[in-house]
Amino acid sequence: MAMPYPLPDWNQLATLDDARLPLLATALLIARDEYPDLDPDLYDTLLHSHAEALRGEIEAIDSWPLKMQAINHHLFDELGYSGNHDEYYDPRNSYLNEVCERRLGNPISLAMVQIDVARRLGVPLDGVSFPGHFLVRLPVGDSLLVMDPFNRGRPLDEEELRERASKHFGGDEPDDDALLRILHPAGNRAILMRILRNLHAAYAEGEDWERATRSADRILRLAPGNREALRDRGLGYLELGHVQGARADIANYLQRNPEAPDAPALRERLVELGGPGRPH
């Protein structure tokens, strides 16, 4: 009998170094917050089946780019995984169980599927926390194959990457060194935190403060010192009427980030809550 697919404990994640932080299992743990009856074995088995359907074909291919082409064809053309262009900010796009069932997702969730299937097949695919849309990368000799999972795994050339990056850097295209830094592989913790930031943004936009606050809290379980998540959780607590928690988190944020652009407004809020206006 196969062993059940284990999920980690939220209270232990901060103690794990990046290599020991399980990417798929923690993504399913995030989803279980919203779907408490989620069966992680189901999705592990599903992704395993995606990979096994390709194993013979992939093992017969020598070229890394052609291996990746076959994986993308299977995922995006045969299985129908696709970027949700019509409802980009739908929170379901960030929950891996929903992505696997609906075959719809955002860039980072589709990258998660791509990465998991590729790595099961021995293809060393990594994520890239590119500004804007999350991307994936595969080392090929002395260069990189960079792909866009939101658009069916389409390869991106250097010119397009520079153009995409420039939109987030005041219109200036990055030089070679800057582009390589941007294309550095994203660690597991960074990927998981980006998923949670997407969820926080979607829920905060919809004024669903319970779920927005939960998302910020989960970021802090992964990275207890994250300043933005402290602020976001504190503001969420404030919206929910949890004054003590709001006061503690906002004061902690201000102590860690006293010169932040939002610090003056937050100090005023802290005074209103009965806390010190300026950290000692």
Side-chain angles (χ1 to χ4, degrees), residues 252-269:
N252 196 348
Y253 170 76
L254 289 170
Q255 186 172 29
R256 292 170 179 266
N257 208 24
E259 304 303 323
D262 57 359
L266 287 172
R267 288 192 186 100
E268 289 184 16
R269 299 293 293 274

Side-chain angles (χ1 to χ4, degrees), residues 266-278:
L266 287 172
R267 288 192 186 100
E268 289 184 16
R269 299 293 293 274
L270 197 60
V271 171
E272 293 170 4
L273 294 173
R278 185 173 296 275

